[in-house]
Amino acid sequence: MYSELQLLGSKWRPQFVEKARIHHTSGMPANSIRAKISEAKVEIHKLSKCVLEGRKPPAGAYAFFNHNAHVLSALEDCGRIYERLVAGRTLLTKLSYEEERLRPDDWPAGTPYPEALQQTMKQSGDANEHMKLDLESLYVFGGVLLDQWAMQAIAVGNLPCKKQYPFRELVDYLDQNSDPTLNELWTAVKDDMLWLYYQLRFYRNRFIIHADRPWQRGTTRSVYGDDFNLFTPTPPGWLDDTALDAEIRGLAHLAPAYVPRRDQEHAGRLLEILFENIAQYLKSDREKISKLFGKKGGSTPNFHTLAQRLFGFVSTGTRLLVEAASANLASVDLGAPHQTSEEMRQARNIR
């Protein structure tokens, strides 16, 4: 997606490439995330095959199998976005080393940097904006993936959901009701579903798609690492910051025991920690935390963390859906078409 030759030119030194490569790839979870994507694809195909062979419905445009195809397509789209993020983060690290190489020592204040350094800094800024766009895209298309997956789960459980906002409705239903078909699934992946409900869906709606008030939309990252986050705080003076911070500190008792006192006393950091751990709280506390985060804003998880939770959930969740569907084939809601292929053929013959 990004041409390193075009961006870095002939001045790039091989030793800097190697230095960046060693530093950047150390501990990077991309391969384990790619494995989760592959596992999820296998389970999505298994789900369709399980229901098709178990029910053997007449040929037709059944909603269940079309949504299965939509899940697969959305998963592949999110996988492509993740690969762009990995490539973009690698490029940002290389450009950071290039800036270090080109930056003169003791450069006079107020004097423009050399042209080569200015160009590299511009390229780094452009690469950062590409990553920001890609991470926002992962939130948007990750939401699409969750909604399409939820349509499969609602059908397997034959749940009374309106399917207007499928993932939200599914989480709300399972959080409030004991469902014999999906109880095992909910027990196993409840934390992931709640985490994605707030960290992905809520953040996407509040800060990316429906940004209906001023926000400072930026990013954070280490200079040479492999992390990258969206950072969307409320602008100073928009709200009563003193009152808002006091309200946030009122939830300090919910902070995990390992959180140091300095982070508990820093309202912004405390709120990010609570939001990161939101799946472990009761619904009433989750709603308080998300409401405050929706007012103050803050930093997202690292894009690797978001991808790991999203793809890991789809992989494990779909495997459990296969088991649930296999044990309850007769009750799976196929979403029958208006006419099956045979009915359409007969109608044409009659005419």
Side-chain angles (χ1 to χ4, degrees), residues 17-65:
V17 174
E18 181 62 17
K19 185 179 180 185
R21 185 193 67 78
I22 292 172
H23 197 294
H24 176 62
T25 58
S26 177
M28 192 174 71
N31 287 337
S32 66
I33 291 173
R34 293 183 184 111
K36 289 298 180 184
I37 295 172
S38 297
E39 291 169 8
K41 289 180 182 179
V42 171
E43 297 301 332
I44 291 166
H45 284 298
K46 283 183 181 178
L47 180 59
S48 178
K49 182 178 180 181
C50 168
V51 175
L52 180 63
E53 294 183 352
R55 290 286 293 272
K56 295 182 174 61
Y62 293 87
F64 183 89
F65 303 109

Side-chain angles (χ1 to χ4, degrees), residues 24-192:
H24 176 62
T25 58
S26 177
M28 192 174 71
N31 287 337
S32 66
I33 291 173
R34 293 183 184 111
K36 289 298 180 184
I37 295 172
S38 297
E39 291 169 8
K41 289 180 182 179
V42 171
E43 297 301 332
I44 291 166
H45 284 298
K46 283 183 181 178
L47 180 59
S48 178
K49 182 178 180 181
C50 168
V51 175
L52 180 63
E53 294 183 352
R55 290 286 293 272
K56 295 182 174 61
Y62 293 87
F64 183 89
F65 303 109
N66 279 279
H67 284 297
N68 187 271
H70 294 332
V71 173
L72 183 60
S73 177
L75 174 67
E76 291 173 339
D77 285 343
C78 289
R80 294 183 186 102
I81 294 169
Y82 175 69
E83 291 298 342
R84 290 209 308 254
L85 285 163
V86 172
R89 179 63 255 215
T90 300
L91 177 59
L92 275 176
T93 300
K94 291 179 179 179
L95 286 166
S96 294
Y97 279 111
E98 178 70 349
E99 284 187 40
E100 176 189 325
R101 183 184 72 83
L102 293 171
R103 193 181 305 277
D105 295 329
D106 301 322
W107 193 252
T111 304
Y113 280 126
E115 180 65 23
L117 178 56
Q118 291 186 46
Q119 287 298 315
T120 301
M121 292 171 69
K122 181 180 183 302
Q123 292 157 5
S124 182
D126 288 343
N128 192 89
E129 289 303 304
H130 276 289
M131 281 206 72
K132 176 175 172 288
L133 178 61
D134 286 337
L135 185 46
E136 289 182 339
S137 297
L138 185 58
Y139 275 86
V140 173
F141 287 93
V144 173
L145 172 57
L146 291 177
D147 277 339
Q148 290 298 333
W149 185 93
M151 292 293 284
Q152 296 271 271
I154 291 170
V156 169
N158 210 330
L159 305 181
C161 296
K162 294 181 179 179
K163 296 183 271 192
Q164 185 176 4
Y165 307 104
F167 188 70
R168 188 194 77 182
E169 294 168 19
L170 175 65
V171 171
D172 287 345
Y173 183 86
L174 293 178
D175 197 29
Q176 299 172 34
N177 300 276
S178 178
D179 183 83
T181 303
L182 298 182
N183 270 344
E184 185 174 344
L185 178 145
W186 178 243
T187 300
V189 295
K190 174 183 177 180
D191 283 356
D192 281 334

